[in-house]
Amino acid sequence: MATAVDAKKGGLKDNYNSCHQHKQSNASKELNKQILRAFLHDPKHKSFDKGHKGERFRCKDEKDVNEFVKEFEIDDIPHFSVFQEDHVGEAHEIAVQMSRQPIEQVIDAFAYLRTCYPSSPYIEHLSRVTFMEHPRTRECLLPPPEQTMPYSYFRENSMMWGLTKKGEDAMVVMGTNKKHHRKMNILPTNAKFDKERCLSWWREDLGLLNHFYNWHLSYPYPPNPPRDRQGELFAYMHQQMLARYDFERLSRGLPRVVPYGPGYGWNKPLKEGFNPKLKFSSARPANLSLGSENYSFAKTSTEELEKFKDRIQFAIARGFLYDKNEVKVKMTMNNLGNTILANEGSINKTLYGNVHNHGHLIIANANDPSGMYNMAPGPMHEDQTSPRDPVFYRWHKFIDQLFEEHRFTMDPHKAKDLQFSGVELENLNVKLEPEDYHKKKVDKPLDTKNHFYTYREGKKYDVYNTNKDQEAIKVKTQSMDHIPYSFNMKAKNKNRGDVMVCFRVFLVPETDEPLDDWRNMFVELDKFVESFKGGETKEINRSDKDSSVIAARRAKFEDIKDGKSNSATQNNCGCGWPLNLLIPRGTKQGMRGQIFVLASDWMQDGENPQEHLHGSWSYCGLKDRKSKYPDQRPMGYPFDRLIVDKKGKPMRDLETLVDNMDNSCKTDVNITFLGAWDDENKKQKDDKKEKNDDKKEKKDEKKE
Amino acid sequence: MQLRMAPAADGCCHHSQSSKELRGKILKAFLYDSKHKSFQDLKDGAFSIKDHLKDHKNVDATVKELKIAAKPDFSVFIEEDMREIQRISDQLQRKPINNVINAFRYLRTACPNSTFVDHLARVTFQNHPASRNVPLPAPHQIMPFTFFKRGKVVAAQRSIPGVDNLVLELTDPNKMLQDGDILPTSAKFDKERRIAWWREDLGMLTHHYNWHIAYPYPPKQPRDRQGELFGYMHEQMLARYDFERIAVGLNRVQPYGPGFGWDKPLVEGFNSQLAMCSVRGANSNLSSSNTYYIGKGVPNTISLDDMKRYKDRISSAIAVGFLYKDAQNKVMLDLKDGMNHLGNTMQANQGSVNKTLYGNLHNNGHVILGRINDPSGMYQIPPGPMNYDQAAPRDPVFFRWHKFIDNLFEEHRSNLPYQNVQDLVFDGISIESFSVKLEPSEDDKEKLEKSKVFSETENHFYTHMENKWYKIYNSNATEEGGDSDYSSASVSQKALNHIPFSYEIKVKNDNKHEQNIVFRIFLAPEIDEGGPLDHSRTMFVELDKFVVSVKKGTKTIKRQDNQSSVILNPQPTVEDIATKDGPLRGDCMCGWPLNLLVPRGTAAGMRGNIYVMASDWNKDGQDPYSGMEGSASYCGKQGAKYPDKRPMGFPFDRLVVNRDGSSPVGTLGEFVEAVPNSFSEKVTITFLDKWPIQEKREDAKRASRQRDRQKGE
């Protein structure tokens, strides 16, 4: 899909359009529809028409079993986890074999498996990996996981409400009706006095969960060889999640995330409890201590992990890692990331262990380390659920702490190295571009300059595999969104020659702390390339929807079914930050922040400067397994390490940084949260009205 | 001096001839009705009773008037919840019975599995003048989700032809289908699992549930000797539990409570696999939170420090021998009433001597242990089994907690004046022989032959596991050919049972006149701890207590196991209530299950001692002219005083000393020698582990259906 840029025509945009026009052929559209069959459980499946009664289902024991399933001995893995090496290994092995088989039969096999295990995370993972691997379906779109595996994405009770609304008997649905009467269960996850609750909407945002799930599908842990700069991207993607989470925490008056891990307080009880209210995860009480016994999933103990962490820290301090032949390997972000993620790129897994994954498994199974009580693991066990849990961020803050140690060992950026001579930026501002929908909802005049507005609204999702038929049920959740906007600025090229400029846009909450303390609070909003002729001055206008961090609009299940899916040239990996969380929530009074833009020389930075970039390449690289990460600069550049001024002292603040460099500019912005735009509000008002009516009636009765 | 024997079939409750019609109506108040008119025009299935109460048209008039709404996480151990029950039940008892029935039909359909509604219904019908003696359906049939593991109920639903198993799989976690869920509660390497079958025995759980309904905690006045019975009933549960533990090679129960290790992590985790309960991981730390939310009352929290303080106050009251009633008055903890006052105070019922001073030790312990996963309610994690009287005995910590409570009673027992053997002698009466005779049924004989067990017929108990099938309702399963309005399913569960036996006692009366004699039969495991008899005193399990009048001369008395005063007589099932004509028993349903009467023993044969003592019923009996009918030993008599005036557990209620008054009795043999009106015999309990129970599921179901049909005909 890479097309050469004809710089003379300034034809980036044209190429962009041509990309849009790149449509799926009709044949592949048909195939794409076929794939849906593999994601839907089929009550009329011919292998099950006699019904299946009683005992636990096993593929092996079945007579009518699908031949592929039998041949490859596929059976469900209970408590599947992408953080478990055996599990991922098995999935990979099967997927590789399956991807060599004729596609129709692969689809048949998955339709069979899906009917056996309609809500198994393992079958979901396996089918996605297989279809992404299979040469014939590589270009196909896969339905979003929240529609095919809803029990892992929606709280049990919103599912129940959805089912009962569809007319299912509440008794069947609930098994027990107890929770049926507790509206509490549909409220955010935790009771009011749990302060972590005020960000549950963020942690449980479907876009975010999807991003995370798909990231782990496309950046696998063994046995695939790591992708280009996978280790570094692992660090950067999670660091950005933390930066965004911290931003949200600040706006709610919460402190920044505190690390939790070996050496960072995990010998002491874990203060935060968590009740995910998901069907397959168990709750964690507050103040749980991690036991020192052997953990059956991680096959290790907390003390073992501490040992590995010490070795990694030692390696960081010395600047090299030992590989298996005792040869020193230079410490880089990528080597460190691969080693901590313990993928196939780990320099020495025996020596440095499997810190990141085992931490997930240990925390998830802290309730029942040995599996003695048949307890379901907590949300940290699975990639699609772990970002729901507040401890996820504490754990990743710990991981990021290790990366920070390495970042401190690197030579700082000098201000003059960041300069791009001859290129000047000025007049940066943010312009609000509300659509009619937004205008209708807001009754007060909006500030259209340098002001972001966010709001919350209810969204309905059609979900499948919940029910005895293949019909969807509707499930409601709330999600944050913002009023569309665009960046505007003036960029001058004073050089004689043509240049390609990469604009790196960041958002940061306002602070009076030194720049470096705030360095990892910078949230990447966008990164884009423009070409300039010699001496040209351009007005740059860039819309939020084009951002390089966000995922393109995902094709829904229905879109694929109706063949409407070709409108988006999306990566089928589906990974990328959700547009609706691009701007943090801010506060009702308006939270102050700053936007910072740095221009750099793309001819130097770009891996392949002529390549047209689209999609969510900042957090996800590019879709193709073998292609390289497009930006050669360290990820997060220029905030990947300390920035110093001419005297070699740490840069004081953003103001001085911008003053020192013409190729950057900044502007102050406000982020105002407009509240919930929702029918819920109406309902509440109606309820109040009803109550009042009731009272009136009572009074009337009394009078009578 | 003739003893007035009550007719055997009638039991303690002299019920009126409850009409079949009323019986059937009340039964319907316990069954979910999918065609209930109030719910027909519900627009969407999502239903909340609070919203429904606002609705003027559809809600039942009585429910609306009394504002009855199901309480989530209802617990009999929470005072506020019990007051609510009492408030509503008192008002319902004044309403016409038909209104009450309608109200409960509505509530049951609105909240089919609410433990609150079930408790309220039982209390109301048992006390309503029109329904006082009407038999109520067995709780495990009505509340399957609180008595059976969720996996079992789901499996039962799934095994029914016509129900699409895929629906059920979809709406249930797929892990429910794993073997572990149908197996005993915990994985193999959990040693507490060895006696999960005992803790999860339905008869035992039903006994505990009904005991708490019959002997309520506030605001009702306590029944006669309620506090003492509270101590005794739980002490006997512990004695039986210890017996079973020893048989499977576990140590006796260790107490767990304030001052008994609850500052440290609780080693035992527990997964009840019940739909309503959360799981407790191993090594949960109770002291990780100091305050525990205990409901809406004032105060609404309790701290571990409070509990420690209450325990210390009770402990020092025992040491000084009195409880403070108020500023002026003391209540002496004497031999006669001491146990009762102490029991009432610990159970914190209305008979508590001073609730402000001595707190609510027993109940709050239950709530705290039930809420160990989420003390403040911050995460809305459902409580564990300890929160529910139906489920608490499933949890190993139940016994550890009650061992702690019993330790406080023991402190008091050790302060009491000693029991002198001299005072136990019943002049002129001697027991010449005492033995246990095996009385296998034809079926048993056949199986004994098959399994090639050489059976001794004297002084030998045989136990075995068997598969029992239960019909369950309110689980939304429709069985083939069943009543579609009230759907039922069948669930099987393994339970212990024993081969029937009888006692044969040869007693000699040397007195001139006829004597009413009460025989007290106990069983204890043989132990070689050494030391005085007192060390194993709390191990004596009551097997029976009965009254016989004996004329001058020798008499041989025969007594069947199923007549025992500790066991619950067979109760009518839902099907019986619905179909049978003629009178049915309407007991309080409290009483030990017959199938657990004899402990399991070991495959190699576990040795024990069986002990009988005769004493004078003219002195001991509350009413010397009536005996110990029904399950009086653990449950007393409804509406009457406890029949036996002796301290409960007599003669093992305190230390027994020799004639000299100071040295404790050494062994059971010495004891029998000193008291000629007693006798002991060595017995063996053999567990027939190869007893044929492997009926195939489908076969068994067919068989049970056939049996039902035959019965019906």
Side-chain angles (χ1 to χ4, degrees):
Chain A
M1 239 185 282
T3 36
V5 177
D6 189 348
K8 279 181 188 171
K9 285 181 186 171
L12 266 175
K13 272 196 173 167
D14 292 348
N15 278 311
Y16 194 68
N17 287 338
S18 77
C19 270
H20 270 284
Q21 283 151 14
H22 175 86
K23 286 179 182 174
Q24 279 179 298
S25 68
N26 276 336
S28 77
K29 227 193 269 175
E30 270 314 300
L31 183 62
N32 215 154
K33 275 188 209 173
Q34 287 293 310
I35 287 182
L36 288 184
R37 200 157 58 82
F39 285 91
L40 265 190
H41 110 94
D42 178 8
K44 287 168 192 152
H45 196 286
K46 62 180 192 313
S47 302
F48 297 95
D49 54 358
K50 286 179 199 109
H52 175 65
K53 311 276 179 270
E55 290 72 32
R56 190 187 167 205
F57 174 83
R58 276 189 192 83
C59 292
K60 286 177 203 160
D61 310 339
E62 287 295 303
K63 281 175 206 157
D64 293 338
V65 67
N66 179 289
E67 51 183 283
F68 266 58
V69 174
K70 202 173 179 185
E71 190 187 331
F72 298 125
E73 289 179 1
I74 310 176
D75 201 353
D76 189 30
I77 299 180
H79 304 314
F80 172 79
S81 170
V82 289
F83 306 116
Q84 236 289 13
E85 196 163 340
D86 304 351
H87 292 181
V88 183
E90 186 171 336
H92 176 78
E93 205 172 287
I94 293 173
V96 167
Q97 287 176 322
M98 293 286 272
S99 61
R100 291 186 201 127
Q101 308 299 331
I103 188 69
E104 282 75 21
Q105 279 162 343
V106 173
I107 293 175
D108 276 347
F110 280 115
Y112 175 83
L113 282 167
R114 179 64 71 159
T115 307
C116 304
Y117 304 109
S119 33
S120 153
Y122 172 63
I123 301 299
E124 181 83 29
H125 182 92
L126 186 62
S127 51
R128 282 173 191 275
V129 174
T130 307
F131 288 125
M132 281 161 73
E133 194 77 26
H134 199 287
R136 291 212 42 207
T137 51
R138 216 170 267 172
E139 300 292 318
C140 286
L141 298 169
L142 302 182
E146 79 266 16
Q147 287 191 293
T148 56
M149 197 175 35
Y151 283 106
S152 301
Y153 285 92
F154 297 95
R155 284 199 209 117
E156 198 176 350
N157 269 73
S158 18
M159 295 292 295
M160 292 312 157
W161 279 81
L163 281 168
T164 45
K165 288 218 171 183
K166 192 177 165 280
E168 287 292 327
D169 187 344
M171 291 282 291
V172 186
V173 170
M174 302 308 288
T176 168
N177 263 29
K178 188 174 85 55
K179 290 175 189 159
H180 188 36
H181 308 287
R182 300 179 65 181
K183 275 200 168 164
M184 263 163 107
N185 280 291
I186 321 201
L187 290 178
T189 316
N190 307 312
K192 271 217 164 123
F193 43 106
D194 174 18
K195 59 185 176 10
E196 296 294 332
R197 179 189 136 164
C198 65
L199 283 179
S200 59
W201 59 266
W202 192 87
R203 291 192 304 263
E204 290 170 21
D205 185 90
L206 283 175
L208 179 143
L209 294 169
N210 253 325
H211 162 63
F212 191 73
Y213 180 62
N214 285 315
W215 194 89
H216 275 278
L217 279 177
S218 24
Y219 283 89
Y221 163 47
N224 273 345
R227 292 173 57 178
D228 180 47
R229 291 167 78 186
Q230 175 165 341
E232 188 180 355
L233 187 56
F234 166 72
Y236 180 61
M237 195 278 280
H238 287 93
Q239 186 267 323
Q240 282 288 301
M241 272 179 95
L242 284 167
R244 288 173 175 276
Y245 189 53
D246 272 348
F247 206 129
E248 303 287 357
R249 288 179 73 86
L250 289 180
S251 74
R252 299 313 303 267
L254 294 175
R256 291 177 67 181
V257 178
V258 179
Y260 178 78
Y264 288 85
W266 91 343
N267 297 327
K268 293 190 191 113
L270 174 59
K271 204 170 67 223
E272 291 95 347
F274 183 64
N275 187 0
K277 293 185 179 170
L278 292 173
K279 208 145 197 175
F280 302 99
S281 295
S282 65
R284 181 183 64 242
N287 297 314
L288 188 70
S289 304
L290 297 180
S292 55
E293 60 261 65
N294 191 52
Y295 283 73
S296 60
F297 276 104
K299 301 190 182 75
T300 185
S301 72
T302 49
E303 276 162 38
E304 283 288 289
L305 221 57
E306 196 146 347
K307 185 182 77 188
F308 290 129
K309 173 225 146 199
D310 286 346
R311 288 179 186 166
I312 290 173
Q313 279 180 320
F314 189 70
I316 294 169
R318 301 202 63 194
F320 59 85
L321 295 142
Y322 282 111
D323 76 358
K324 277 172 193 152
N325 306 319
E326 295 239 341
V327 176
K328 293 174 185 174
V329 176
K330 190 173 183 282
M331 176 65 81
T332 62
M333 272 307 270
N334 195 35
N335 285 340
L336 182 59
N338 283 337
T339 304
I340 291 178
L341 181 63
N343 57 25
E344 289 301 278
S346 170
I347 301 302
N348 189 341
K349 226 186 235 182
T350 331
L351 188 59
Y352 301 111
N354 194 337
V355 175
H356 163 256
N357 298 312
H358 285 171
H360 268 271
L361 294 174
I362 286 179
I363 294 171
N365 292 285
N367 270 345
D368 186 10
S370 56
M372 196 193 263
Y373 301 107
N374 291 330
M375 258 173 111
M380 279 289 272
H381 196 73
E382 290 171 14
D383 47 351
Q384 67 269 35
T385 53
S386 48
R388 293 173 168 260
D389 192 336
V391 80
F392 170 85
Y393 303 91
R394 296 196 58 187
W395 172 250
H396 270 282
K397 186 77 183 173
F398 155 74
I399 296 285
D400 197 54
Q401 213 68 17
L402 295 179
F403 288 119
E404 273 293 283
E405 276 180 36
H406 174 60
R407 290 185 195 119
F408 284 132
T409 65
M410 295 191 287
D411 290 336
H413 288 303
K414 288 172 194 145
K416 67 169 190 207
D417 298 342
L418 301 178
Q419 281 166 2
F420 185 4
S421 60
V423 175
E424 284 176 15
L425 300 184
E426 54 192 24
N427 278 345
L428 171 68
N429 65 71
V430 177
K431 193 180 153 211
L432 205 65
E433 294 181 345
E435 291 160 10
D436 292 344
Y437 168 75
H438 303 104
K439 282 175 188 158
K440 249 182 244 167
K441 287 276 185 182
V442 188
D443 40 16
K444 61 180 179 189
L446 293 175
D447 187 3
T448 53
K449 199 179 169 192
N450 290 342
H451 209 136
F452 296 112
Y453 289 95
T454 60
Y455 58 90
R456 203 175 64 220
E457 63 180 358
K459 275 187 189 163
K460 276 188 183 169
Y461 293 85
D462 285 329
V463 302
Y464 296 84
N465 293 340
T466 61
N467 213 340
K468 64 183 166 216
D469 50 38
Q470 291 187 323
E471 269 175 52
I473 62 166
K474 280 207 180 339
V475 185
K476 259 205 227 168
T477 55
Q478 296 269 319
S479 70
M480 193 64 66
D481 212 336
H482 60 266
I483 296 181
Y485 64 86
S486 63
F487 300 115
N488 294 289
M489 67 188 127
K490 209 183 207 174
K492 276 184 206 162
N493 175 18
K494 289 181 177 170
N495 296 319
R496 283 188 190 164
D498 296 353
V499 288
M500 289 193 79
V501 180
C502 176
F503 294 91
R504 300 161 190 273
V505 187
F506 293 89
L507 174 68
V508 67
E510 193 183 74
T511 180
D512 47 10
E513 286 188 43
L515 183 63
D516 197 59
D517 288 10
W518 223 236
R519 176 167 46 79
N520 48 23
M521 288 295 292
F522 279 81
V523 165
E524 183 173 340
L525 281 190
D526 204 349
K527 179 152 76 176
F528 57 96
V529 180
E530 286 280 343
S531 55
F532 287 82
K533 287 180 208 159
E536 186 182 355
T537 301
K538 256 195 203 174
E539 287 288 337
I540 306 277
N541 185 303
R542 173 89 171 173
S543 155
D544 57 344
K545 290 178 193 68
D546 300 331
S547 165
S548 66
V549 299
I550 63 158
R553 184 186 161 274
R554 289 185 179 84
K556 284 185 184 165
F557 194 94
E558 298 76 26
D559 298 339
I560 301 173
K561 200 170 157 191
D562 303 340
K564 286 181 195 160
S565 51
N566 53 358
S567 60
T569 54
Q570 84 173 92
N571 297 345
N572 70 356
C573 74
C575 122
W577 196 252
L579 176 61
N580 63 312
L581 289 188
L582 185 62
I583 299 298
R585 173 187 174 274
T587 59
K588 281 195 171 164
Q589 292 77 30
M591 180 178 177
R592 291 205 290 184
Q594 285 161 333
I595 295 226
F596 171 80
V597 181
L598 179 76
S600 67
D601 186 351
W602 189 242
M603 294 306 282
Q604 278 179 29
D605 297 354
E607 183 68 43
N608 176 8
Q610 302 301 325
E611 184 186 19
H612 167 71
L613 295 165
H614 63 88
S616 53
W617 57 279
S618 281
Y619 293 166
C620 303
L622 276 178
K623 172 190 163 192
D624 193 350
R625 284 269 151 92
K626 278 151 205 158
S627 65
K628 291 200 161 183
Y629 190 82
D631 185 358
Q632 283 182 330
R633 291 278 186 186
M635 297 181 198
Y637 175 84
F639 300 107
D640 61 314
R641 62 186 85 167
L642 183 65
I643 302 171
V644 291
D645 59 17
K646 284 173 202 161
K647 293 173 192 163
K649 283 186 179 165
M651 193 65 76
R652 204 168 63 242
D653 49 30
L654 203 56
E655 197 79 51
T656 30
L657 183 67
V658 172
D659 287 349
N660 276 325
M661 298 190 302
D662 292 337
N663 59 328
S664 72
C665 59
K666 79 171 204 22
T667 179
D668 292 342
V669 289
N670 255 320
I671 310 175
T672 302
F673 174 54
L674 294 171
W677 291 358
D678 209 342
D679 305 334
E680 289 289 309
N681 268 3
K682 270 187 198 167
K683 262 189 193 169
Q684 280 171 7
K685 276 176 197 167
D686 290 354
D687 281 359
K688 271 179 195 169
K689 265 185 198 169
E690 265 181 31
K691 272 180 198 169
N692 291 337
D693 291 349
D694 279 5
K695 276 176 195 167
K696 273 178 197 168
E697 273 179 27
K698 273 177 198 167
K699 276 177 193 170
D700 293 345
E701 278 172 17
K702 275 178 193 171
K703 276 176 195 169
E704 282 167 18
Chain B
M1 293 286 271
Q2 191 59 44
L3 192 65
R4 189 180 63 226
M5 293 301 283
D10 196 54
C12 60
C13 304
H14 299 277
H15 55 73
S16 60
Q17 294 283 316
S18 63
S19 74
K20 197 187 165 194
E21 194 197 353
L22 180 63
R23 240 157 50 194
K25 271 185 177 171
I26 289 180
L27 176 63
K28 288 192 175 176
F30 283 86
L31 296 175
Y32 172 79
D33 180 1
S34 56
K35 290 170 188 159
H36 196 289
K37 63 179 191 314
S38 300
F39 301 94
Q40 291 314 312
D41 55 346
L42 212 59
K43 271 178 199 153
D44 49 42
F47 166 81
S48 140
I49 195 165
K50 277 188 183 158
D51 294 345
H52 220 227
L53 280 176
K54 286 183 206 153
D55 181 0
H56 299 265
K57 292 170 227 159
N58 283 329
V59 68
D60 181 86
T62 321
V63 172
K64 192 172 174 238
E65 184 194 330
L66 301 180
K67 287 183 192 150
I68 310 175
K71 272 180 172 268
D73 303 342
F74 162 76
S75 168
V76 292
F77 305 115
I78 294 176
E79 187 159 346
E80 195 58 28
D81 287 3
M82 290 308 280
R83 287 189 186 279
E84 178 78 359
I85 290 266
Q86 200 57 42
R87 175 186 76 79
I88 299 170
S89 164
D90 281 348
Q91 294 178 61
L92 282 174
Q93 283 165 36
R94 288 185 219 115
K95 304 253 178 225
I97 188 76
N98 280 333
N99 293 12
V100 177
I101 291 172
N102 284 337
F104 279 111
R105 289 183 70 168
Y106 173 84
L107 283 171
R108 180 64 67 166
T109 305
C111 326
N113 290 299
S114 158
T115 51
F116 175 80
V117 171
D118 196 63
H119 191 104
L120 182 66
R122 285 173 194 278
V123 170
T124 307
F125 286 121
Q126 280 180 6
N127 291 298
H128 195 286
S131 60
R132 202 162 278 171
N133 297 308
V134 175
L136 301 182
H140 62 265
Q141 288 193 291
I142 297 304
M143 303 279 292
F145 282 103
T146 50
F147 283 94
F148 294 96
K149 289 177 200 164
R150 185 168 173 181
K152 278 202 169 179
V153 182
V154 172
Q157 293 171 330
R158 197 166 295 147
S159 64
I160 295 161
V163 174
D164 185 350
N165 66 306
L166 283 169
V167 186
L168 291 157
E169 184 179 349
L170 283 167
T171 51
D172 268 274
N174 57 1
K175 72 183 185 67
M176 274 302 154
L177 303 176
Q178 285 172 26
D179 303 334
D181 288 295
I182 325 248
L183 288 176
T185 313
S186 312
K188 268 212 169 131
F189 41 104
D190 175 17
K191 61 184 174 18
E192 295 295 330
R193 182 188 138 166
R194 291 181 208 161
I195 38 174
W197 58 268
W198 192 87
R199 289 194 308 264
E200 289 165 15
D201 186 89
L202 278 182
M204 196 268 287
L205 295 169
T206 315
H207 163 65
H208 188 251
Y209 180 51
N210 284 312
W211 194 91
H212 275 279
I213 290 177
Y215 286 89
Y217 162 48
K220 268 193 185 169
Q221 281 303 315
R223 290 172 58 181
D224 178 48
R225 291 169 78 186
Q226 174 164 340
E228 188 180 355
L229 187 56
F230 167 74
Y232 179 61
M233 195 278 284
H234 286 96
E235 187 262 320
Q236 282 287 300
M237 277 179 90
L238 284 167
R240 287 172 176 277
Y241 188 54
D242 273 347
F243 207 130
E244 305 287 359
R245 288 179 73 88
I246 291 171
V248 297
L250 295 173
N251 56 352
R252 290 179 69 179
V253 177
Q254 297 300 306
Y256 184 76
F260 288 86
W262 86 349
D263 299 333
K264 298 197 186 96
L266 175 58
V267 183
E268 292 95 346
F270 185 62
N271 183 356
S272 68
Q273 293 171 359
L274 292 175
M276 61 183 177
C277 292
S278 65
V279 189
R280 183 180 68 240
N283 298 316
S284 284
N285 210 343
L286 203 58
S287 54
S288 66
S289 170
N290 200 36
T291 30
Y292 281 74
Y293 179 71
I294 51 167
K296 274 185 191 164
V298 180
N300 63 359
T301 54
I302 183 98
S303 74
L304 297 187
D305 289 347
D306 291 338
M307 292 290 279
K308 179 106 189 342
R309 208 159 49 236
Y310 292 138
K311 177 236 152 190
D312 287 346
R313 284 176 188 165
I314 291 174
S315 191
S316 57
I318 292 167
V320 295
F322 60 84
L323 294 156
Y324 285 109
K325 190 171 178 62
D326 49 44
Q328 284 84 34
N329 298 307
K330 296 169 184 173
V331 171
M332 302 310 290
L333 291 174
D334 54 10
L335 182 57
K336 189 169 166 287
D337 291 326
M339 274 297 283
N340 193 36
H341 288 307
L342 191 59
N344 284 337
T345 305
M346 288 217 259
Q347 203 203 359
N349 57 32
Q350 288 303 87
S352 170
V353 172
N354 189 338
K355 223 182 215 175
T356 330
L357 189 58
Y358 301 113
N360 192 341
L361 199 62
H362 161 257
N363 298 308
N364 283 344
H366 270 272
V367 178
I368 286 176
L369 288 167
R371 289 185 176 274
I372 194 166
N373 278 341
D374 189 10
S376 57
M378 193 193 263
Y379 302 107
Q380 296 165 15
I381 301 173
M386 278 294 271
N387 195 50
Y388 302 98
D389 49 350
Q390 304 94 322
R394 290 170 174 265
D395 192 337
V397 81
F398 170 85
F399 297 94
R400 296 196 61 185
W401 172 248
H402 270 284
K403 187 74 183 175
F404 157 75
I405 297 282
D406 198 58
N407 267 16
L408 289 177
F409 284 119
E410 273 292 290
E411 279 179 30
H412 171 64
R413 290 186 195 118
S414 64
N415 281 350
L416 291 173
Y418 306 142
Q419 181 91 56
N420 195 308
V421 281
Q422 214 168 346
D423 304 331
L424 297 175
V425 176
F426 186 3
D427 286 334
I429 305 293
S430 57
I431 295 178
E432 304 205 315
S433 76
F434 172 43
S435 63
V436 176
K437 297 256 184 299
L438 204 64
E439 298 195 350
S441 67
E442 289 305 314
D443 189 35
D444 290 336
K445 276 181 194 163
E446 202 179 293
K447 282 184 177 168
L448 277 172
E449 258 170 43
K450 252 190 213 167
S451 50
K452 289 177 186 158
V453 180
F454 170 74
S455 57
E456 273 186 283
T457 52
E458 194 141 311
N459 293 341
H460 207 132
F461 297 107
Y462 290 93
T463 60
H464 56 82
M465 283 290 177
E466 64 181 12
N467 225 6
K468 280 190 184 172
W469 285 90
Y470 301 91
K471 264 203 168 150
I472 53 168
Y473 293 79
N474 297 343
S475 72
N476 197 71
T478 312
E479 200 161 26
E480 203 178 7
D483 184 350
S484 57
D485 285 359
Y486 303 109
S487 49
S488 69
S490 295
V491 178
S492 80
Q493 184 154 320
K494 274 186 193 161
L496 185 76
N497 210 345
H498 57 264
I499 293 177
F501 60 86
S502 63
Y503 312 104
E504 208 175 86
I505 305 169
K506 209 169 165 189
V507 60
K508 194 174 164 205
N509 180 2
D510 287 334
N511 297 326
K512 284 172 192 158
H513 45 80
E514 192 179 345
Q515 288 279 6
N516 279 344
I517 301 174
V518 55
F519 293 92
R520 301 158 189 276
I521 302 179
F522 292 89
L523 176 68
E526 193 181 85
I527 42 175
D528 52 2
E529 278 189 20
L533 179 63
D534 200 55
H535 281 192
S536 57
R537 177 165 50 78
T538 54
M539 294 289 293
F540 278 83
V541 165
E542 183 173 338
L543 285 186
D544 203 352
K545 179 151 77 176
F546 58 95
V547 183
V548 177
S549 61
V550 179
K551 287 178 189 155
K552 184 174 169 21
T554 315
K555 184 174 181 180
T556 305
I557 295 155
K558 224 181 152 199
R559 171 91 169 173
Q560 268 295 333
D561 56 347
N562 60 9
Q563 293 173 308
S564 164
S565 68
V566 300
I567 65 151
L568 175 67
N569 288 303
Q571 294 296 309
T573 60
V574 170
E575 300 78 49
D576 291 341
I577 298 172
T579 56
K580 268 196 183 163
D581 298 316
L584 283 176
R585 317 176 55 90
D587 294 1
C588 61
M589 299 210 295
C590 139
W592 196 252
L594 177 59
N595 65 310
L596 289 188
L597 183 64
V598 178
R600 195 197 78 155
T602 58
M606 180 179 177
R607 290 201 294 180
N609 287 308
I610 189 156
Y611 172 85
V612 63
M613 180 177 167
S615 67
D616 190 351
W617 188 242
N618 286 1
K619 288 180 194 159
D620 296 353
Q622 192 63 249
D623 171 8
Y625 300 103
S626 72
M628 291 279 299
E629 296 96 7
S631 51
S633 282
Y634 295 164
C635 303
K637 275 186 174 183
Q638 269 181 331
K641 289 196 163 182
Y642 192 81
D644 185 359
K645 284 198 287 194
R646 291 278 190 181
M648 296 179 197
F650 172 82
F652 299 105
D653 59 315
R654 58 202 143 112
L655 179 66
V656 187
V657 290
N658 286 321
R659 271 165 209 277
D660 60 19
S662 60
S663 63
V665 170
T667 60
L668 199 58
E670 278 176 40
F671 190 28
V672 170
E673 214 168 280
V675 185
N677 48 316
S678 69
F679 207 90
S680 95
E681 208 40 88
K682 280 195 171 22
V683 289
T684 310
I685 312 173
T686 301
F687 172 55
L688 304 170
D689 54 353
K690 292 190 179 118
W691 192 256
I693 46 165
Q694 301 301 331
E695 289 178 273
K696 264 193 183 169
R697 190 189 180 99
E698 285 304 314
D699 294 352
K701 281 190 91 175
R702 233 169 274 142
S704 79
R705 260 179 232 151
Q706 268 174 6
R707 248 175 276 143
D708 289 350
R709 259 173 233 150
Q710 281 164 2
K711 270 183 203 166
E713 283 158 16

